């Protein structure tokens, strides 16, 4: 599989959540930078027709990043993407063809958590 490295032209930041307990034993989640890399970015239209009643799915974006030890760890519950001044909640992260060359990440703009 030949990679076209020119398509990885946008810088994204992957953030990881950590949860700690405060003095009252309440869980406090904080996000920290986990990895920064170049990615190919494009809007993903498949969900727009199938999920018209879900307005957050109208903002689905597909990020294509090169496979590495850090990007292989990405899972929806623990990571998010910051790109273009917005936070994206990860829906799926898939190793394309299991070839360990490209990870495709589908994510939606998370309007409630732009911190």
């Amino acid at each position: 599989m030949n990679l076209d490295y020119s398509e990885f032209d946008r810088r994204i930041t992957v953030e990881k959540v950590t949860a700690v307990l405060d003095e009252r034993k309440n869980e406090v989640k904080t996000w920290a930078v986990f990895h920064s890399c170049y990615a190919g970015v494009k809007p993903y239209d498949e969900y727009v027709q199938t999920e018209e009643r879900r307005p957050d799915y109208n903002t689905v974006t597909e990020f294509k990043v090169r496979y590495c030890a850090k990007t292989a760890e990405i899972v929806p519950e623990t990571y998010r993407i910051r790109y273009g001044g917005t936070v994206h909640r990860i829906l799926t992260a898939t190793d394309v063809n299991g070839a360990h060359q490209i990870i495709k990440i589908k994510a939606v703009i998370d309007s409630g958590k732009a911190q």
Side-chain angles (χ1 to χ4, degrees), residues 42-93:
K42 69 176 186 173
Y44 192 74
D45 296 329
E46 177 182 311
Y47 289 107
V48 176
Q49 286 88 25
T50 60
E51 297 286 346
E52 290 180 8
R53 287 173 267 150
R54 299 269 320 262
D56 58 331
Y57 277 77
N58 290 331
T59 61
V60 171
T61 303
E62 182 179 271
F63 298 92
K64 189 187 303 185
V65 297
R66 283 178 251 168
Y67 183 95
C68 70
K70 293 237 180 194
T71 58
E73 287 184 37
I74 297 172
V75 292
E77 302 81 26
T78 312
Y79 298 88
R80 70 181 184 182
I81 293 176
R82 188 174 292 272
Y83 167 72
T86 58
V87 173
H88 292 75
R89 180 173 41 90
I90 296 174
L91 300 172
T92 63

Side-chain angles (χ1 to χ4, degrees), residues 21-40:
L21 297 177
D22 65 8
E23 64 277 353
R24 295 184 178 167
K25 305 295 185 207
N26 294 319
E27 186 178 79
V28 178
K29 292 182 180 182
T30 58
W31 292 91
V33 172
F34 172 72
H35 183 59
S36 185
C37 62
Y38 285 97

